[in-house]
C-alpha cells in the first residue's frame, strides 16, 4: 500500500478515536446544576451585613401575602414560579401553558432530588412576612411586588415543599437549611437581598449570619 494511503488511513483512525473520546466525555459528564443568581462573596456579604440597620423586629400587624402580589406573569403564559422551576431544574419540559410536566430538581436546602414539580415550592429566601417586619410594611405595593418576584437577586429558589414549609417566615437566627454545606451560600443570599432592599436585621439574626459568614 502506498505510504500516502497508509498515512491517510492512520490519520482517519486517529480522528475517529479522538471523536469517540470526546463523545464519551460528553456522555459521562454530569449535567450542570441550574441555580439562582450567584450571590455576593462572603467577604462582600460581611461588609453588607455590617452596614445593615440593627433593630428589634417589627410587628406582623397588617401583614398579608396579598400585599406582596407574587407569581406574576413574566413572559407569554409563564409566571414567576414557572420561570424559576425552568431555571432551577434540569431537562425541564413545559406544556403550552408553561407548566413543568417533566424534569429533575435538586433541592439545595436538603439535598433531595424530585421529578414532579408539585413536590417543590418556590422559596422567598427572605420571607415576605420577615420583610414586612423588617421595613417592607412601609413600601408601595409595586415595590413589594418587585420583591416577591425578584429574578435578578438570589431571592427565589425551588426547594422541597415541606422543607420550605418548615422554614415558614423564620430568619437565620431561628432557621437554617438542614443541609449544612449550603449555609454559607444561604447567608450570602440572605444578606444580599436585605442589603439591596434596605431591610433591617435583629440582633440574633445578625449574630447568626456573622457566625456563618465568618466560617465561609
Amino acid at each position: 500500500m502506498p505510504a500516502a494511503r497508509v498515512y491517510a488511513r492512520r490519520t482517519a483512525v486517529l480522528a475517529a478515536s479522538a471523536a469517540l473520546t470526546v463523545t464519551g466525555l460528553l456522555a459521562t459528564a454530569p449535567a450542570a446544576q441550574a441555580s439562582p443568581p450567584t450571590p455576593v462573596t462572603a467577604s462582600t456579604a460581611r461588609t453588607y451585613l455590617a452596614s445593615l440597620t440593627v433593630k428589634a423586629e417589627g410587628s406582623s400587624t397588617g401583614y398579608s401575602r396579598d400585599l406582596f402580589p407574587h407569581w406574576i406573569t413574566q413572559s407569554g403564559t409563564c409566571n414567576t414560579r414557572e420561570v424559576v422551576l425552568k431555571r432551577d431544574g434540569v431537562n425541564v419540559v413545559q406544556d403550552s401553558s408553561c407548566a413543568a410536566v417533566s424534569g429533575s430538581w435538586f433541592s439545595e436546602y436538603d439535598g433531595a432530588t424530585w421529578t414532579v414539580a408539585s413536590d417543590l415550592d418556590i422559596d422567598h429566601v427572605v420571607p415576605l412576612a420577615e420583610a414586612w417586619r423588617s421595613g417592607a410594611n412601609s413600601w408601595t405595593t409595586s415595590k413589594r411586588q418587585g420583591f416577591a418576584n425578584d429574578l435578578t437577586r438570589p431571592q427565589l429558589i425551588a426547594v422541597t415543599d415541606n422543607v420550605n414549609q418548615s422554614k415558614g417566615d423564620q430568619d437565620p437566627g431561628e432557621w437554617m437549611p438542614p443541609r449544612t454545606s449550603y449555609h454559607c451560600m444561604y447567608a450570602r443570599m440572605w444578606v444580599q437581598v436585605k442589603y439591596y432592599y434596605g431591610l433591617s436585621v435583629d440582633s440574633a439574626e445578625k449574630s447568626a449570619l456573622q457566625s456563618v459568614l465568618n466560617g465561609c
Side-chain angles (χ1 to χ4, degrees):
M1 182 180 292
R5 289 180 64 188
V6 170
Y7 178 78
R9 285 187 63 190
R10 285 177 178 171
T11 302
V13 168
L14 286 171
S17 176
L20 284 170
T21 300
V22 171
T23 302
L25 288 172
L26 290 173
T28 57
Q33 178 60 51
S35 60
T38 302
V40 296
T41 64
S43 175
T44 298
R46 287 192 291 269
T47 300
Y48 283 2
L49 180 60
S51 73
L52 295 181
T53 298
V54 180
K55 65 179 184 180
E57 204 165 77
S59 169
S60 294
T61 300
Y63 168 73
S64 168
R65 287 178 68 85
D66 293 341
L67 295 171
F68 292 78
H70 54 288
W71 306 167
I72 61 171
T73 300
Q74 292 289 344
S75 64
T77 59
C78 300
N79 67 25
T80 307
R81 171 183 165 83
E82 290 149 353
V83 170
V84 176
L85 284 172
K86 176 73 171 178
R87 182 197 70 189
D88 289 5
V90 175
N91 299 323
V92 177
V93 176
Q94 296 172 309
D95 65 18
S96 59
S97 298
C98 207
V101 294
S102 65
S104 177
W105 292 269
F106 178 78
S107 170
E108 295 284 8
Y109 286 4
D110 59 333
T113 298
W114 304 97
T115 56
V116 179
S118 60
D119 287 323
L120 296 135
D121 278 354
I122 306 304
D123 180 43
H124 290 98
V125 172
V126 176
L128 305 183
E130 162 68 21
W132 177 269
R133 297 188 297 266
S134 304
N137 60 318
S138 65
W139 293 354
T140 63
T141 300
S142 176
K143 184 172 181 178
R144 286 193 288 260
Q145 175 175 295
F147 175 83
N149 297 275
D150 191 347
L151 295 167
T152 304
R153 262 66 51 182
Q155 163 66 345
L156 300 172
I157 183 171
V159 295
T160 303
D161 54 4
N162 60 4
V163 173
N164 181 51
Q165 289 151 25
S166 74
K167 170 184 172 178
D169 61 359
Q170 299 178 92
D171 68 37
E174 304 159 317
W175 186 94
M176 289 290 284
R179 186 167 163 248
T180 55
S181 61
Y182 200 67
H183 285 187
C184 184
M185 181 69 75
Y186 185 78
R188 289 160 55 197
M189 295 163 76
W190 182 283
V191 171
Q192 181 177 344
V193 172
K194 281 224 159 175
Y195 177 83
Y196 179 83
Y197 285 98
L199 296 169
S200 64
V201 291
D202 63 47
S203 57
E205 174 188 353
K206 182 175 182 178
S207 178
L209 288 164
Q210 282 178 324
S211 178
V212 172
L213 291 171
N214 287 339
C216 291

